[in-house]
Amino acid sequence: MENLIQGFADFRRDMSAEHRSLFAKLASGQTPHTMFITCADSRIMPELMFNAEPGELFVYRNVGNIVPPYAQHVSGVVAAIEYAVLALKVQHIVICGHSDCGAMKALQNPAALKGMPSVTQWLMHADVARYVVAENRPTILGEEGLRYLTEENVVGQLEHMRTLPVVAAAMANGSLRIHGWIYDIARTEITAFDAMEGTFRPLVAGSNNLPDATPHARFSVPVASAA
Ligand SMILES: [Zn+2]
């Protein structure tokens, strides 16, 4: 805790004049362009990763970057999406999963959740990913299986998000686009879901050292597109 308190003291002391005036300007309101939904994992730092300034990203985090389907579960994330779309009028919503995700590992190994009834129930919203992988790619195990599961979870959560009436309505009139990304911690790479191709592709041209794209071939209609 002392580290946090000292960190805040350092932050206040070292703040640039530009940031001081930006915070003063933002004191009376925000107009973020993007809602960024990602995992609570401490290794994901959205503002740092995107060189984003205060006021740019409306960030929501939970275990497993999950968006429960509409009418199934009233949750903080669904309320935040409604607010982001209707009140803040964000133009983009990104659902970003990540490598080495504890929630996805728990889907692979449910025994790890013994004694955690709330986490167990929460992760039922990711059952879509577990089922797709178990039914269609039962032989993909280990690290490759975890990557496929993580990708399927992002695709599944995008589909859940489209069940929210505010999201469906905003997408229909072209004011909102949704995106599914995966952040690879070790490689510092992001892959983005290409719904036309049904695969995840590098977000930034020239990215390398990425594993071969795994097809998610059931998609023939665009549910998301790269920025
Ligand atoms: Zn995670």
Side-chain angles (χ1 to χ4, degrees):
M1 183 50 67
E2 279 160 23
N3 285 352
L4 283 186
I5 295 168
Q6 187 57 49
F8 183 61
D10 294 346
F11 168 71
R12 289 186 66 198
R13 186 194 61 223
D14 300 337
M15 195 187 304
S16 67
E18 288 80 15
H19 270 152
R20 261 179 227 289
S21 74
L22 179 57
F23 279 122
K25 197 173 124 199
L26 289 170
S28 57
Q30 58 167 334
T31 53
H33 50 73
T34 298
M35 180 175 191
F36 194 80
I37 299 169
T38 191
C39 187
D41 193 293
S42 62
R43 296 164 294 180
I44 316 297
M45 300 181 72
E47 288 85 353
L48 184 71
M49 286 158 54
F50 300 106
N51 256 342
E53 292 292 332
E56 277 193 79
L57 296 179
F58 188 68
V59 177
Y60 194 95
R61 313 180 67 145
N62 62 32
V63 172
N65 39 272
I66 282 167
V67 178
Y70 183 69
Q72 184 180 326
H73 186 88
V74 176
S75 64
V77 62
V78 167
I81 291 168
E82 268 186 18
Y83 184 77
V85 173
L86 294 180
L88 300 177
K89 305 200 183 307
V90 295
Q91 298 128 55
H92 302 273
I93 301 178
V94 178
I95 295 179
C96 187
H98 67 98
S99 61
D100 197 50
C101 181
M104 297 301 105
K105 287 178 174 177
L107 284 185
Q108 275 186 318
N109 176 27
L113 294 176
K114 193 165 181 290
M116 292 186 236
S118 300
V119 181
T120 301
Q121 196 169 345
W122 177 245
L123 288 182
M124 285 185 71
H125 297 302
D127 253 3
V128 58
R130 191 168 63 78
Y131 268 84
V132 169
V133 174
E135 294 292 321
N136 296 292
R137 296 183 183 272
T139 58
I140 302 184
L141 302 170
E143 201 172 316
E144 194 187 358
L146 183 63
R147 180 169 64 89
Y148 190 52
L149 189 63
T150 303
E151 292 179 353
E152 276 297 340
N153 181 54
V154 165
V155 173
Q157 303 311 323
L158 285 172
E159 291 178 331
H160 287 174
M161 190 160 66
R162 278 163 53 93
T163 68
L164 273 60
V166 290
V167 170
M171 288 179 72
N173 68 29
S175 61
L176 177 70
R177 295 174 70 189
I178 64 175
H179 313 264
W181 294 355
I182 307 280
Y183 175 57
D184 187 310
I185 295 167
R187 297 182 176 94
T188 324
E189 301 273 11
I190 289 177
T191 48
F193 183 58
D194 179 335
M196 297 300 283
E197 297 288 328
T199 56
F200 282 78
R201 302 193 174 284
L203 181 69
V204 177
S207 293
N208 50 29
N209 295 322
L210 286 165
D212 291 338
T214 311
H216 299 255
R218 69 191 183 281
F219 293 94
S220 56
V221 292
V223 299
S225 53

